[in-house]
Amino acid sequence: MWKALNEALPVFELIIKRGMQIDGRCQMCGVEGESIIHALFQCDPARQVWALSEIPHSEIGFEEESMFGSLNYLLKLKNSKRGEVKVIRTWPWLLWGIWKSRNELIFKGRRWSPEEIKEKAVNEAEEWFLVQEVEEETNKRSVNEVVSIKRKWSPPRKDWLMCNVGFDWVKQTKLMGVAWVVRNHRGVVLMHSRRVFSNVRSLDEARLVSILWAVESMTSLHYNKVVFTGDYKEIFMAAQKPLHWHALRYHVVELNQLLRRMSDYQLLSVLKEENRGAVIIAQSITREGRM
């Protein structure tokens, strides 16, 4: 479809326009000047395929419309409530079948009948939609399985601390609440803090500002062997492999300036369920107005 709309299909009319000396007649029906709309809609075999398909024609008819008009009509056909859904949805495969049959004749000398093209299109469309249904059902099951598994906070190694960082950013007001909670390997909370930030313009900025504040807090408290956890997958991956994340170069530079003050640390991205305590404290700022 993209190639058809951009005059990128190698029909004879366009090949001649590009300076090649060839016979410009349509090899399917013998008409002079094989254009894209002719090959896909106006050629006798193509017209027979569309007739057999039982897809409703527009009032103007495919023969008179432009390529854009014809595809626009087909794309909107689903919402017009004309004809059966199973019939209407086969049209992309009909187009593909018509084009393939034209190439089969030119390059291999084999002619497909209109009935053959229509039958292939119907079968391929049915297979495709069946696969989508199966995939959708599989995805639903996967989501349900993930939801059913309740993830909990897991402790760090012995002699290490875990700093869970949570934030809650409000797009409309540009306010953000941030909180961090520090626990030891036994799960005992040693310290926690929260803070509000204003004029935070994006989710990306929210992530950067919140993790920088948490790391700065840990270095100010002279904590060492700290595992920083939270919803910071991209930033943490960029910090570990900066050459693969050029777009986050600024984030990495800012973060590394603070992390250099610690001799041992780890960066760990976790799901919200594993970071629940810090997130709830952060939400208390924005949702309860604790500024």
Side-chain angles (χ1 to χ4, degrees):
M1 286 187 283
W2 179 88
K3 285 189 172 184
L5 289 172
N6 286 276
E7 294 194 338
L9 288 176
V11 292
F12 296 140
E13 184 181 81
L14 292 177
I15 291 173
I16 292 170
K17 279 184 181 178
R18 285 164 172 76
M20 292 182 68
Q21 299 299 316
I22 58 169
D23 183 358
R25 288 177 295 178
C26 173
Q27 301 299 301
M28 300 288 285
C29 67
V31 170
E32 281 287 346
E34 184 203 43
S35 63
I36 292 175
I37 193 164
H38 172 83
L40 298 177
F41 291 105
Q42 298 171 352
C43 186
D44 287 341
R47 291 172 66 182
Q48 290 175 45
V49 171
W50 289 110
L52 286 168
S53 72
E54 299 178 8
I55 290 177
H57 278 48
S58 66
E59 294 176 4
I60 305 172
F62 294 132
E63 294 79 11
E64 302 298 326
E65 288 201 45
S66 65
M67 194 66 229
F68 177 85
S70 297
L71 285 181
N72 187 50
Y73 168 76
L74 289 169
L75 285 165
K76 291 182 176 179
L77 196 56
K78 184 181 176 183
N79 299 324
S80 68
K81 297 180 181 178
R82 294 178 62 194
E84 293 182 33
V85 174
K86 282 192 174 183
V87 172
I88 291 169
R89 70 187 188 181
T90 61
W91 69 263
W93 287 269
L94 288 169
L95 276 177
W96 180 233
I98 291 167
W99 179 249
K100 275 170 57 176
S101 70
R102 177 256 190 201
N103 291 337
E104 279 283 310
L105 179 65
I106 292 171
F107 297 110
K108 295 182 181 178
R110 181 173 177 270
R111 185 184 288 272
W112 293 352
S113 69
E115 290 81 4
E116 243 186 307
I117 297 169
K118 182 241 180 181
E119 197 63 33
K120 280 175 183 266
V122 170
N123 291 337
E124 288 175 8
E126 284 296 322
E127 284 179 16
W128 191 85
F129 281 103
L130 180 61
V131 170
Q132 306 315 302
E133 289 173 15
V134 172
E135 191 172 328
E136 188 177 342
E137 185 62 32
T138 304
N139 288 338
K140 283 181 182 176
R141 287 179 185 174
S142 299
V143 169
N144 290 335
E145 286 171 7
V146 170
V147 170
S148 64
I149 299 170
K150 292 185 178 179
R151 294 185 177 272
K152 296 180 180 179
W153 180 86
S154 54
R157 290 176 293 166
K158 189 177 179 182
D159 297 328
W160 278 71
L161 302 175
M162 181 168 284
C163 177
N164 288 86
V165 188
F167 65 91
D168 189 53
W169 175 62
V170 183
K171 184 178 180 180
Q172 292 76 14
T173 60
K174 294 183 174 58
L175 286 174
M176 176 178 69
V178 189
W180 52 255
V181 180
V182 178
R183 296 182 180 90
N184 61 19
H185 67 277
R186 295 191 183 91
V188 177
V189 175
L190 305 181
M191 196 174 291
H192 67 83
S193 182
R194 65 182 168 195
R195 178 178 168 180
V196 64
F197 288 87
S198 60
N199 199 31
V200 179
R201 292 161 293 184
S202 67
L203 185 58
D204 179 63
E205 185 181 347
R207 286 196 172 97
L208 179 62
V209 169
S210 57
I211 189 60
L212 290 180
W213 174 65
V215 174
E216 186 179 20
S217 299
M218 294 302 102
T219 56
S220 298
L221 292 165
H222 304 291
Y223 280 150
N224 199 23
K225 291 188 176 180
V226 179
V227 182
F228 293 96
T229 66
D231 181 18
Y232 303 101
K233 184 177 180 181
E234 288 82 9
I235 296 177
F236 287 174
M237 288 179 72
Q240 291 160 7
K241 295 182 179 180
L243 294 177
H244 296 113
W245 294 79
H246 296 290
L248 297 180
R249 185 177 177 182
Y250 173 77
H251 301 61
V252 172
V253 170
E254 292 293 306
L255 183 60
N256 282 339
Q257 282 181 352
L258 294 172
L259 288 172
R260 285 194 194 99
R261 302 176 191 174
M262 304 179 73
S263 59
D264 286 310
Y265 63 86
Q266 288 182 11
L267 304 175
L268 179 65
S269 177
V270 297
L271 298 173
K272 190 176 284 187
E273 291 83 359
E274 300 172 80
N275 205 36
R276 193 165 174 267
V279 172
I280 288 173
I281 298 172
Q283 288 173 343
S284 72
I285 300 170
T286 53
R287 301 184 186 187
E288 297 173 24
R290 301 190 180 191
M291 305 301 175

